[in-house]
Amino acid sequence: MATPAFTFTPSTFQKLHPAEFFRRFTTEGVRPDGRLLDAFRPTTVHHGVISTANSSAMVRIGGTTVVCGVKAEVAEPKLDAPDQGYLVPNVELSPMCSSKFRPGPPSEQAQAVSEAINRVLKESKVLDLKDLCIEEGKAVWVLYVDAVCVAYDGNIFDAALAAIMAALKNVRIRKPTYQEGTIKVSGGSTATDENSFTLNLARAPLSATFAIFDTTLTILADPNVTEESISDGQISITLDETGLLCGVTKIGAASCSQSVMRDCVQSAKKRTLQLRAIMSQQ
């Protein structure tokens, strides 16, 4: 008696064998969502989404949405840097954005992304922290840069960094005065007050992320959450506005050849140029 054959619907096959399901698409040069392997998802940027912040922005890349708010507060400077302020970035991934995240302390992924973005901002020297000094050794500005993911569908690094840079670009802080241990700021709205200042950003790094899939080292631009789950690793290429490399962030154990890395850098240059054009239109 012949053994009965089993057939699965595409959705069932995808659940049982996600990597094999995906591989059958990539061998044809496409993905299950219809994108080419090197295609990025539709992206939008909106400014001024939080009225109570010194600046804010919202970035949507496909199904991933990040809202960033910047809040300026007065603090004491560090003893070893009495004339420098602080820039404190943080990325939040809460259960609100995806069921894969749990309540409680920041997840390992959220901490890793926050540390990676903090490293990019520092090593790129985006901002001269001396510009945040109010009175040397007495008071400085600290900029809390909180990027909150409200919808997660992969590639949080690109979305969070873009939202942070879009928000920092439009920060406006009222000019303070320091008199006998007291700090006073000018009145009026920070958005229109003539006695306020904006940040002088020295560089504006943006990133493009690629997932490495399969033993053939198939490279997927802008991976969604499903593609992240079956990938062997991810590479984020960060470039400034002149196209100079600011850094490479690698997640996972997968490695790639120099030729593949060069292809990723070239693709990242095109992507970051496109992203800057989108940001300037808003």
Side-chain angles (χ1 to χ4, degrees), residues 198-277:
T198 57
L199 299 179
N200 182 23
L201 301 181
R203 302 176 79 185
L206 293 174
S207 62
T209 295
F210 307 86
I212 303 172
F213 173 71
D214 213 349
T215 56
T216 58
L217 298 183
T218 301
I219 303 300
L220 309 172
D222 182 23
N224 60 31
V225 66
T226 301
E227 294 165 349
E228 285 182 346
S229 68
I230 61 175
S231 70
D232 299 309
Q234 298 169 50
I235 299 174
S236 296
I237 310 294
T238 306
L239 305 165
D240 70 7
E241 65 280 4
T242 66
L244 291 178
L245 184 67
C246 297
V248 176
T249 302
K250 184 174 176 291
I251 299 175
S255 60
C256 62
S257 64
Q258 291 185 356
S259 62
V260 169
M261 181 62 73
R262 284 195 296 268
D263 291 342
C264 288
V265 171
Q266 291 303 314
S267 180
K269 288 183 178 181
K270 296 178 182 179
R271 167 58 175 173
T272 53
L273 282 175
Q274 176 195 55
L275 188 52
R276 293 181 200 283

Side-chain angles (χ1 to χ4, degrees), residues 32-49:
D33 64 4
R35 281 189 292 160
L36 297 178
L37 303 185
D38 61 352
F40 291 81
R41 292 172 292 179
T43 302
T44 59
V45 180
H46 298 280
H47 298 281
V49 295

Side-chain angles (χ1 to χ4, degrees), residues 11-25:
S11 59
T12 301
F13 183 68
Q14 182 181 13
K15 292 178 181 178
L16 294 175
H17 307 284
E20 180 59 29
F21 176 84
F22 197 82
R23 189 177 295 112
R24 295 191 179 188
F25 283 87

Side-chain angles (χ1 to χ4, degrees), residues 44-61 63-71 88-94 96-97 113-114 117 144-152 155-168:
T44 59
V45 180
H46 298 280
H47 298 281
V49 295
I50 304 176
S51 60
T52 55
N54 290 88
S55 180
S56 61
M58 180 176 70
V59 171
R60 179 178 288 114
I61 299 179
T64 295
T65 302
V66 174
V67 176
C68 178
V70 181
K71 194 68 176 179
V88 185
N90 180 63
V91 177
E92 180 179 330
L93 299 172
S94 70
M96 177 181 66
C97 70
V113 174
S114 296
I117 289 180
Y144 292 103
V145 186
D146 294 311
V148 180
C149 182
V150 296
Y152 185 87
N155 197 6
I156 184 62
F157 187 87
D158 290 1
L161 182 58
I164 287 172
M165 293 311 303
L168 287 176

